[in-house]
Amino acid sequence: MSLPTRLLDGYRAFRNARLPLEQSRYRDLAEHGQAPEVMVIGCCDSRVSPEVIFDARPGELFVVRNVANLVPPYSPDGAYHGVSAALEFAIAALKVKHIVVLGHAHCGGVRAFAEDAAPLSPGDFIGKWMSLMAPAAASVGPRGDRAEADYLEQMERASIANSIDNLLSFPRLRSLVEAGELTLHGAYFGVATGRLSVRDPATGAFKPIAE
Ligand SMILES: [Zn+2]
């Protein structure tokens, strides 16, 4: 058994073109360890790769991706918390300076929540996970006569704010933010346009990055 042909071809392209350019950087990162200053919390969506969008080199971004770029609230309950484990490592070991919650247009997870979609499996892991969005949905209110696309975009953006609120429920993270040693950001990627908007923490509005 081998990897899919697409992956083998892609790896060979990487080995022939990019690896020679990055070889010394990889060796340096292996010897001295990674020291990324930025953590990105993004969606699993195959169209929204943080390393592609931010043109990142090896060692620059510490990335955790999950369905709909959600952050669960701080809950030291002994359960398995993948996002919390990544956060703990990012702030306590790597001492990142920035955390970016990267949301995006046409998010399937947000749509599933908004449409109260039927479970894809008896476990309904997506439904349970997406219930983290409830506070965001409450802030947006019922769809009413809003166009579906507008409503979903408002939900996607409100969910970014909700994830930032939940980040602040982690005591150590919050104290780093209050000490000015860590900055939280929200960003929104338009899949069709490739446009990135950044959340203004004072107003909650998203503004496109200038050309
Ligand atoms: Zn998504």
Side-chain angles (χ1 to χ4, degrees):
M1 289 294 274
S2 187
L3 290 173
T5 305
R6 174 64 189 90
L7 297 188
L8 292 172
D9 291 346
Y11 172 68
R12 290 186 185 112
F14 162 80
R15 193 179 56 191
N16 294 333
R18 186 160 181 182
L19 183 59
L21 300 174
E22 303 278 19
Q23 185 67 75
S24 64
R25 185 177 180 86
Y26 273 117
R27 285 209 185 93
D28 190 56
L29 287 165
E31 191 176 336
H32 302 291
Q34 61 169 335
E37 293 199 345
V38 178
M39 177 180 189
V40 179
I41 299 169
C43 183
C44 296
D45 193 302
S46 60
R47 301 164 293 182
V48 192
S49 170
E51 294 88 345
V52 172
I53 292 169
F54 295 111
D55 195 22
R57 302 178 66 190
E60 287 186 320
L61 298 181
F62 186 72
V63 176
V64 59
R65 295 173 74 171
N66 61 53
V67 173
N69 41 273
L70 300 180
V71 176
Y74 178 69
S75 14
D77 54 11
Y80 300 104
H81 290 290
V83 176
S84 308
L87 277 173
E88 184 175 81
F89 189 70
I91 64 171
L94 299 175
K95 302 189 187 328
V96 298
K97 300 281 181 269
H98 302 271
I99 299 178
V100 180
V101 177
L102 176 64
H104 70 101
H106 312 292
C107 184
V110 172
R111 175 182 287 273
F113 179 87
E115 294 178 349
D116 200 14
L120 296 178
S121 79
D124 189 19
F125 294 110
I126 296 176
K128 171 73 176 166
W129 177 247
M130 290 309 301
S131 69
L132 287 167
M133 251 198 79
S139 75
V140 172
R143 178 178 158 189
D145 52 11
R146 279 180 273 207
E148 185 187 37
D150 293 342
Y151 174 65
L152 290 175
E153 184 170 327
Q154 285 163 13
M155 292 275 276
E156 286 154 356
R157 294 181 177 205
S159 182
I160 294 168
N162 185 44
S163 283
I164 292 172
D165 287 345
N166 284 347
L167 282 173
L168 290 169
S169 70
F170 288 75
R172 184 165 180 182
L173 192 156
R174 186 181 190 99
S175 65
L176 287 169
V177 170
E178 288 170 350
E181 291 173 30
L182 174 65
T183 308
L184 307 183
H185 310 267
Y188 183 84
F189 182 68
V191 172
T193 60
R195 188 169 296 161
L196 190 73
S197 301
V198 176
R199 183 174 182 271
D200 180 338
T203 65
F206 282 78
K207 290 186 187 141
I209 290 178
E211 295 295 323

